[in-house]
Amino acid sequence: MSLKEWFQQKWVLLSLSIMMTVLIVFIVVSSFLYYDIQGGQGEQQQTYIDIALETAPIEQVETDYVYHGDEAYTVVLGQSEEESLYVFVPQKDSLNPDDVSWTSANDVMSKEEIRNKWQQSCSNCDLLSITPGMMNGRYIWELIYEENDSMVFRTYTFEEGDVYDSISFSQN
């Protein structure tokens, strides 16, 4: 083997080693950054859940949702001594306890009922999410789904399940 071939082999090995090291460092740093960001969001969400527990007459949390409308809300479905309640906590920096509101789950359409009502009117659709929220001071269910080549955001009133608002975007 000539000296030139030996240097070329060493150069290729050195280059590959450097590229692999850079790739590994990139993956590790990206992973730490991702988990740091996600952990921060989880902590913030837990803060809003704690506010719901402190403010509303619920003792335990069954599930929680995040609604992103004109104003973001954490919505907690919790259990009081007598009933289940939906608690709506606005996601804002200066939160007044009067900003938190709730309603009995017995007085509204359930998630399953709203899904069934939607399926009757949209049989060839692909449901992506169902989230409770608040729009214009009104409790709503937001359904996000795909229909044909469109992404549809449709809201229904919480109590009766009537269509409240709808917007769609073409995916073309």
Side-chain angles (χ1 to χ4, degrees):
M1 173 185 304
S2 73
L3 189 60
K4 182 179 178 182
E5 290 174 337
W6 184 82
F7 277 120
Q8 285 177 339
Q9 283 181 347
K10 295 298 180 185
W11 176 251
V12 168
L13 286 174
L14 180 63
S15 297
L16 285 174
S17 297
I18 290 172
M19 287 189 318
M20 288 301 292
T21 302
V22 168
L23 181 64
I24 290 170
V25 167
F26 175 76
I27 290 171
V28 169
V29 169
S30 296
S31 297
F32 278 118
L33 186 61
Y34 173 80
Y35 287 112
D36 186 47
I37 290 169
Q38 291 299 321
Q41 288 177 347
E43 291 171 12
Q44 185 178 19
Q45 182 67 3
Q46 187 59 51
T47 299
Y48 293 117
I49 292 169
D50 292 341
I51 290 170
L53 284 165
E54 293 167 10
T55 308
I58 58 172
E59 297 166 355
Q60 66 182 27
V61 173
E62 294 176 27
T63 189
D64 63 282
Y65 306 87
V66 177
Y67 170 74
H68 299 283
D70 291 339
E71 188 175 348
Y73 282 85
T74 292
V75 182
V76 175
L77 177 59
Q79 186 66 40
S80 73
E81 287 183 18
E82 300 101 32
E83 61 185 340
S84 292
L85 299 171
Y86 284 98
V87 182
F88 297 80
V89 182
Q91 293 184 355
K92 56 185 183 180
D93 294 332
S94 58
L95 186 63
N96 184 333
D98 293 336
D99 295 334
V100 178
S101 62
W102 57 86
T103 188
S104 171
N106 296 330
D107 297 337
V108 301
M109 293 193 76
S110 70
K111 185 176 182 177
E112 292 75 27
E113 289 172 324
I114 203 71
R115 177 187 291 126
N116 291 338
K117 186 171 185 167
W118 168 79
Q119 282 178 329
Q120 291 173 0
S121 65
C122 198
S123 59
N124 292 329
C125 301
D126 184 24
L127 183 64
L128 302 175
S129 69
I130 301 177
T131 307
M134 186 172 285
M135 179 183 283
N136 301 323
R138 230 179 145 169
Y139 303 129
I140 52 98
W141 283 107
E142 178 186 62
L143 280 72
I144 302 174
Y145 58 93
E146 293 178 349
E147 182 178 23
N148 301 323
D149 288 332
S150 295
M151 177 76 69
V152 180
F153 295 77
R154 180 163 290 161
T155 56
Y156 295 84
T157 58
F158 220 51
E159 298 83 12
E160 300 87 22
D162 297 330
V163 174
Y164 182 68
D165 194 16
S166 185
I167 188 168
S168 64
F169 300 96
S170 176
Q171 295 185 29
N172 293 334

